[in-house]
Amino acid sequence: MEENIKPLETNDNDRIIQVNIEEQMKTAYIDYSMSVIVGRALPDARDGFKPVHRRVLYAMNELGNFSNRAYKKSARIVGEVMGKYHPHGDSSIYDTLVRMAQDWTMRYTMVDGQGNFGNQDGDPPAAMRYTEVRLHRIAESMLDDIEKETVDFQLNFDDSLQEPVVLPTRIPQLLVNGSSGIAVGMATNMLPHNLSEVVDGCVAYIDNKEITIEELMVHVKAPDFPTGGIIYGMEGVKQGMMTGRGRVVVRGKCHVDTKASGREQIVITEVPYQVNRDALTDKIGQLVNDKTIEGIAHVNNESNKREGTRIVVDLRRDAVANVIINQLYKFTELQTSYGINNVALTKGRPKTMNLKELIVEFVDFRMDVVIRRTQYELRKAQERAHILQGYLIALDHLDEVIRLIRASATPDQARESLMNAGWGIDEIQAKAILELRLQRLTGMEREKIKEEYDSLMQLIARLQELLGSEALRYDLIKTELQEVKDKFGDKRRSEISFLSNEMRIEDLIEEEDVVITISHLGYIKRTSSDEYRQQKRGGRGSIGSRTREEDFVEHLFVASTHHTLMFFTEKGRCFWMKVYEIPEGDKTSKGRAIQNLMQLPQDDKVRAIIDIKDLSDKEYINNHYILLCTKRGIIKKTLLEEFSRPRANGVNAINIMEGDQLIEARLTDGKCEVMMAVKSGRAIRFPEEKVRPTGRGAIGVFGIEVEDEKDEVIGMICVHQDDTSKTILVVSEKGFGKRTAVDEYRITNRGGKGVKTISVTDKTGSLVGILDVSGKEDLVITCKSGITIRTSIADIREAGRATQGVKLIRIDEKDEIAAISKIQEQEEAIVLTETSIDAENEALDKIEGAAAAEGEIVGNADEAADNQEDNTEENNSENL
């Protein structure tokens, strides 16, 4: 019998479905790609969240983990999210939770964390069993009205619960906090922005739907990183705003401090976004060990939670801080670039969006939320008003209602009796009447029901009006956005630095006159000119700058913040700097070492400064000249156009011979008369045409003869030939000075000895300065001790060129005048009121009178000798 049993025959080919493997791979990969794109890597353009962020916040909301309640363990939140909505592992959920609590990662944190959530140095957070969290107030604004059917819900992964498809956020989250993710075949990298700016941009779009992206950028200027920094250049930012793709360069913020020992240190107070501070410190140390960067003695990360970022780079004595900073920008992450790639999901599909499209998506979403919320509130109000209307009907027929209820055997029979009583009560109202408590039947409760009904009818009318008017809905959206800005908005953290080829940064700088001071040891600063009080001649002066004991102010002048300064050094080099780039300080501050602001060698120093309004004005630079003179009497003229292309490391302005140095530089129009004065008290006057223009590399020609090694040129001035209002002001070391008419100096050929300009004695000291003045300026005298005095030049009397002058400032026996300069007359001069100096002035006037009489006698005796010198000047002059 067993032999008759046969196995069941099956055909395996009947269970195999033949498919094209190429088509199957395509289909499977596309399904996988879309799952990654939609369900994991890309944010939704409406609320700006990826699914994991949305699920974490929704789970915390469902747990009642609000900002005004106690913290809950992070592990509890992670378990809730993983068990109900996001079955992808606890580590990914906890990493998301941690990032939303880190204020150096999120521009506006959404989770309020308690415990160790890591730090900017790369230290990891504590385990989830140790940390605690709750919703931040700003996150609650992203969940507002979620219970009012404002968004669609979908089934979770096991179809047991509902989760929101999108959150009804009032915050433009995608622009505010940004997002980054790598999908399949695409990626997104959206940078954070300032909430106040984004809200202003949304409001501007609502007011004008045709607004351009350039107009939106007036409000949304650039990304705003949580760690601050400086956005270096706006071209890439503009491309990102216009097209959704661009590149942003961010630099860390640093400054230079001088330690008590005199050494300088670079202090980094802000690093670029997502830069590890410890890694940055290690990189700097590695570059020093590799000798890629030289001049750094030590680097240390002194950052802490209380004071924030502080990385200190100690420099060697011979290092130039500005050079080291540029090297740090070049070789380390102190300068970092970020790619903008604004890819987000809109209507379930990935799309690269510009600034306006992102704002439009959010505003349209808010419009949808407002409509759905209004419809929900209207429905609920109408339902409640319907019940209250039933209450009022029942109260109007109270006795009959009570009789009907008492006569009914069951609640269902009582409900039917109320519905059939002819009062217009439906089933819902009848059921509500039966559930009415007896205390609501009192007269006072009846009034409350009536008031509630009336207010509901008013609310229903407003809601219906809102649904019927798009303009009212836009006004409501603007009002809610303004509330968000008032509650959570803050100032921009990242500064914006425009490159020179992008725009004139002067447009962002207020134009004002400032006083520029440079000390003998090379410290520079700018100060408001109002800080220098005007005093009468002969006063004691005031402290103009606190310097080191061996230092004193050597250059002092006024310039506009929009102008360019040309710095000429004693070795004949020329450097450029904008006035607004000079560090600001008060009158008593020391200033910054000029070597830190430009690449000036340690063995060189600035000797002359020229203020230029605009180096890009072709007509101006081709019709003006730079006139240079040296200590040994050499003079040289070069067209300004040759100095119109600034270079970071400077250019040669004149070839200086051994033993000589540059002392003065002047800007001329080619039609001036040149005057040069020497320490021994002589001066020469000759036409500028006597000096022919030469290139920057030339040596120059003789301007005045210097008789011996002890004598030297102390200054040069240029007076326009048509200007008859000018007088020549000279000042000696001991504080004597005077004004003399220009005509008293006879025009001669260059290269002569010149004539006496002041009577030099032991009482006056050597000549230290010469200026051309009109009497409308103020004179600022600076002593080697740091004392300065500002007085009106009109108070200085005119005298012959051979006199010793009058006392301009009382100085101590060991002190001497270091420099003089003139300041244009201010509209409101501040008059000294500390002490009365009338008596001092009377005594000084007597001294001046005696000095003037003495000068006349000396002048008559010297005039014949001067005339003899004048007759031989032209014969003695010669070219180099």
Side-chain angles (χ1 to χ4, degrees):
M1 185 176 180
E2 293 178 358
E3 294 179 358
N4 296 327
I5 300 176
K6 296 181 179 180
L8 182 66
E9 293 182 4
T10 62
N11 187 356
D12 290 341
N13 292 331
D14 293 341
R15 294 186 296 177
I16 297 174
I17 301 173
Q18 298 289 334
V19 296
N20 186 314
I21 189 169
E22 182 180 354
E23 293 298 325
Q24 180 65 26
M25 291 292 292
K26 284 182 179 180
T27 303
Y29 192 73
I30 288 173
D31 290 343
Y32 165 73
S33 300
M34 290 306 298
S35 174
V36 172
I37 289 169
V38 176
R40 185 166 63 188
L42 299 184
D44 194 294
R46 294 170 292 179
D47 64 355
F49 287 120
K50 299 177 186 177
V52 63
H53 299 91
R54 190 179 299 118
R55 288 164 177 167
V56 168
L57 296 180
Y58 180 67
M60 294 176 72
N61 183 72
E62 289 298 289
L63 282 173
N65 195 15
F66 302 126
S67 61
N68 57 353
R69 298 185 185 176
Y71 291 92
K72 293 184 186 298
K73 284 288 185 182
S74 299
R76 182 177 178 187
I77 306 300
V78 171
E80 185 81 3
V81 175
M82 184 170 59
K84 291 184 176 180
Y85 310 111
H86 197 75
H88 294 290
D90 58 346
S91 61
S92 63
I93 299 171
Y94 185 54
D95 287 346
T96 299
L97 190 65
V98 166
R99 283 178 56 83
M100 289 195 292
Q102 293 175 336
D103 58 5
W104 63 92
T105 299
M106 305 292 288
R107 181 61 180 85
Y108 299 91
T109 55
M110 291 173 283
V111 171
D112 181 10
Q114 182 170 266
N116 176 17
F117 282 83
N119 59 32
Q120 209 173 334
D121 298 323
D123 296 333
M128 69 179 79
R129 61 183 178 273
Y130 298 118
T131 59
E132 298 178 335
V133 292
R134 63 184 179 187
L135 284 173
H136 204 284
R137 288 173 58 224
I138 196 170
E140 293 176 356
S141 294
M142 300 176 186
L143 292 155
D144 279 348
D145 306 322
I146 196 170
E147 74 284 355
K148 295 182 178 180
E149 301 177 2
T150 50
V151 293
D152 293 331
F153 278 71
Q154 63 187 8
L155 291 172
N156 68 341
F157 62 91
D158 62 358
D159 294 350
S160 62
L161 295 169
Q162 294 274 333
E163 64 173 326
V165 175
V166 66
L167 297 184
T169 176
R170 296 189 181 190
I171 311 291
Q173 152 67 20
L174 189 55
L175 274 168
V176 164
N177 272 325
S179 182
S180 64
I182 300 174
V184 178
M186 64 185 66
T188 184
N189 192 42
M190 307 184 69
L191 302 182
H193 293 77
N194 183 270
L195 175 60
S196 299
E197 294 182 0
V198 174
V199 168
D200 290 342
C202 293
V203 171
Y205 165 72
I206 292 172
D207 291 336
N208 176 19
K209 302 297 189 303
E210 304 301 321
I211 191 170
T212 64
I213 297 176
E214 290 87 348
E215 291 170 335
L216 281 173
M217 287 185 66
V218 174
H219 306 282
V220 188
K221 301 176 179 62
D224 188 24
F225 299 99
T227 53
I230 301 170
I231 296 173
Y232 187 64
M234 283 292 291
E235 186 60 35
V237 174
K238 186 176 180 180
Q239 287 296 319
M241 298 287 193
M242 299 288 290
T243 66
R245 290 180 177 271
R247 180 172 171 270
V248 180
V249 178
V250 181
R251 287 182 166 184
K253 189 179 292 186
C254 57
H255 64 272
V256 179
D257 286 344
T258 303
K259 298 194 291 188
S261 62
R263 288 196 178 188
E264 292 181 330
Q265 56 182 197
I266 300 169
V267 181
I268 301 171
T269 55
E270 293 178 6
V271 297
Y273 184 46
Q274 295 178 336
V275 169
N276 186 314
R277 295 181 302 203
D278 275 348
L280 176 62
T281 306
D282 294 341
K283 179 65 174 179
I284 295 173
Q286 181 183 343
L287 291 170
V288 174
N289 292 334
D290 296 343
K291 298 190 182 302
T292 304
I293 299 179
E294 297 183 353
I296 295 178
H298 183 259
V299 58
N300 187 35
N301 183 9
E302 300 178 2
S303 307
N304 56 60
K305 191 171 183 180
R306 178 177 296 179
E307 297 180 4
T309 300
R310 180 178 169 85
I311 300 175
V312 179
V313 181
D314 292 323
L315 304 183
R316 295 176 181 171
R317 290 193 180 276
D318 59 343
V320 180
N322 199 40
V323 174
I324 301 296
I325 290 173
N326 288 331
Q327 288 178 325
L328 292 177
Y329 285 144
K330 181 178 180 180
F331 296 113
T332 74
E333 286 188 312
L334 194 60
Q335 176 174 305
T336 307
S337 63
Y338 303 90
I340 299 175
N341 191 19
N342 295 340
V343 179
L345 296 173
T346 172
K347 297 179 176 60
R349 294 180 176 273
K351 180 182 178 182
T352 302
M353 292 184 281
N354 58 36
L355 175 63
K356 183 175 181 179
E357 288 172 330
L358 288 168
I359 290 177
V360 169
E361 281 286 334
F362 173 73
V363 173
D364 288 350
F365 173 60
R366 282 304 300 167
M367 176 62 77
D368 185 52
V369 168
V370 167
I371 291 174
R372 295 180 63 162
R373 182 184 64 195
T374 306
Q375 290 173 339
Y376 174 85
E377 291 175 346
L378 177 61
R379 188 177 76 249
K380 290 297 182 181
Q382 288 173 337
E383 289 173 357
R384 179 61 178 168
H386 185 62
I387 292 174
L388 292 177
Q389 190 178 23
Y391 287 167
L392 292 174
I393 292 172
L395 291 173
D396 288 340
H397 303 83
L398 184 57
D399 294 338
E400 292 87 344
V401 168
I402 294 174
R403 182 179 57 78
L404 285 173
I405 293 174
R406 291 184 65 182
S408 301
T410 63
D412 291 339
Q413 186 179 353
R415 186 174 65 249
E416 291 294 332
S417 298
L418 289 173
M419 292 170 59
N420 297 325
W423 300 323
I425 295 177
D426 60 16
E427 184 178 358
I428 296 174
Q429 291 172 325
K431 186 177 180 180
I433 291 170
L434 290 174
E435 294 174 353
L436 192 66
R437 298 176 64 182
L438 291 176
Q439 73 176 26
R440 302 299 300 272
L441 303 179
T442 61
M444 185 177 296
E445 288 296 320
R446 188 184 189 286
E447 288 300 320
K448 288 183 179 178
I449 293 173
K450 184 68 169 66
E451 290 175 3
E452 184 182 356
Y453 178 77
D454 291 341
S455 64
L456 275 175
M457 296 309 293
Q458 293 176 3
L459 174 61
I460 290 170
R462 288 200 301 271
L463 294 174
Q464 289 174 337
E465 183 183 11
L466 187 63
L467 286 174
S469 173
E470 185 180 68
L472 287 178
R473 295 197 296 274
Y474 276 125
D475 288 341
L476 179 60
I477 293 172
K478 289 199 298 183
T479 301
E480 292 178 349
L481 283 172
Q482 190 61 46
E483 291 173 356
V484 165
K485 177 182 175 181
D486 295 340
K487 189 181 295 185
F488 306 112
D490 58 1
K491 294 182 179 179
R492 163 174 283 277
R493 295 182 187 176
S494 298
E495 294 183 10
I496 299 173
S497 175
F498 293 90
L499 300 182
S500 58
N501 61 344
E502 293 177 340
M503 68 169 293
R504 285 169 49 88
I505 195 170
E506 289 89 341
D507 296 337
L508 307 176
I509 305 294
E510 180 183 0
E511 184 168 10
E512 61 176 343
D513 286 341
V514 291
V515 177
I516 309 297
T517 56
I518 304 177
S519 72
H520 180 70
L521 294 182
Y523 289 89
I524 187 172
K525 66 179 179 181
R526 61 182 169 96
T527 310
S528 174
S529 59
D530 293 336
E531 288 201 28
Y532 288 84
R533 300 171 303 169
Q534 189 186 62
Q535 298 183 15
K536 292 185 178 180
R537 175 178 54 80
R540 285 289 298 175
S542 63
I543 296 295
S545 179
R546 295 192 182 276
T547 59
R548 296 162 64 179
E549 290 183 2
E550 65 274 18
D551 200 6
F552 56 88
V553 175
E554 194 167 60
H555 302 280
L556 188 150
F557 60 95
V558 173
S560 168
T561 50
H562 283 201
H563 289 187
T564 300
L565 296 184
M566 297 173 61
F567 295 83
F568 294 88
T569 70
E570 61 183 22
K571 290 191 173 183
R573 299 282 293 175
C574 175
F575 296 85
W576 296 262
M577 185 184 297
K578 292 287 188 180
V579 172
Y580 60 77
E581 295 176 338
I582 298 173
E584 190 172 7
D586 58 38
K587 196 174 64 169
T588 59
S589 64
K590 182 176 69 173
R592 276 276 301 280
I594 203 167
Q595 284 89 352
N596 294 331
L597 303 176
M598 60 181 69
Q599 297 180 17
L600 186 68
Q602 291 286 337
D603 58 347
D604 204 358
K605 66 174 294 186
V606 173
R607 295 305 301 262
I609 304 101
I610 289 180
D611 178 17
I612 303 294
K613 183 176 182 180
D614 187 4
L615 281 174
S616 62
D617 187 341
K618 296 297 183 182
E619 182 179 356
Y620 184 85
I621 62 177
N622 283 296
N623 288 283
H624 284 77
Y625 301 88
I626 299 293
L627 208 59
L628 306 171
C629 84
T630 70
K631 184 171 66 174
R632 304 308 302 166
I634 302 298
I635 188 169
K636 174 176 176 286
K637 183 168 73 170
T638 304
L639 193 65
L640 178 59
E641 194 274 337
E642 296 201 27
F643 295 94
S644 63
R645 292 169 288 278
R647 297 179 187 173
N649 56 353
V651 296
N652 274 331
I654 182 175
N655 271 340
I656 300 294
M657 300 177 66
E658 186 176 354
D660 200 1
Q661 65 181 30
L662 182 72
I663 64 160
E664 190 61 86
R666 296 282 177 174
L667 179 69
T668 75
D669 60 359
K671 302 175 183 178
C672 294
E673 293 175 349
V674 181
M675 291 190 65
M676 302 172 67
V678 294
K679 190 175 181 180
S680 58
R682 293 182 290 110
I684 190 173
R685 175 188 176 196
F686 57 86
E688 184 183 340
E689 290 86 350
K690 298 290 183 179
V691 184
R692 63 180 179 85
T694 56
R696 285 191 291 104
I699 298 175
V701 295
F702 278 118
I704 188 171
E705 181 180 336
V706 180
E707 291 183 337
D708 53 49
E709 293 296 328
K710 295 182 180 180
D711 204 5
E712 62 185 44
V713 177
I714 54 90
M716 173 187 70
I717 60 174
C718 298
V719 182
H720 204 276
Q721 296 172 356
D722 300 331
D723 193 351
T724 58
S725 63
K726 294 288 188 180
T727 56
I728 306 303
L729 173 68
V730 290
V731 178
S732 68
E733 282 179 331
K734 300 298 184 182
F736 286 84
K738 63 177 178 178
R739 289 192 295 150
T740 306
V742 177
D743 292 340
E744 290 203 25
Y745 299 86
R746 187 167 60 88
I747 296 178
T748 64
N749 206 346
R750 63 171 178 80
K753 292 183 177 181
V755 296
K756 183 174 288 187
T757 185
I758 190 172
S759 180
V760 173
T761 64
D762 292 339
K763 182 179 179 181
T764 63
S766 301
L767 187 62
V768 294
I770 181 170
L771 296 173
D772 57 307
V773 297
S774 64
K776 296 180 180 179
E777 308 96 339
D778 288 345
L779 175 67
V780 177
I781 300 174
T782 306
C783 298
K784 292 183 178 180
S785 62
I787 295 291
T788 64
I789 184 172
R790 175 175 171 176
T791 186
S792 174
I793 289 178
D795 291 341
I796 303 173
R797 67 173 58 174
E798 292 190 26
R801 59 180 177 80
T803 61
Q804 69 176 8
V806 296
K807 193 75 170 178
L808 302 180
I809 181 174
R810 294 187 295 110
I811 58 177
D812 296 334
E813 293 182 1
K814 297 181 180 180
D815 201 4
E816 293 179 347
I817 291 178
I820 62 172
S821 60
K822 59 183 178 181
I823 298 178
Q824 294 300 318
E825 185 179 24
Q826 304 297 311
E827 292 182 2
E828 295 182 2
I830 303 175
V831 180
L832 178 65
T833 58
E834 292 179 355
T835 57
S836 175
I837 57 173
D838 292 341
E840 297 177 7
N841 287 334
E842 289 180 5
L844 287 168
D845 289 339
K846 294 180 181 179
I847 297 173
E848 292 164 8
E854 179 183 352
E856 289 178 2
I857 298 172
V858 175
N860 292 333
D862 290 338
E863 188 172 357
D866 290 339
N867 289 335
Q868 185 176 357
E869 292 176 0
D870 293 344
N871 292 332
T872 59
E873 282 175 358
E874 296 184 7
N875 297 328
N876 292 335
S877 62
E878 61 181 354
N879 296 338
L880 281 176

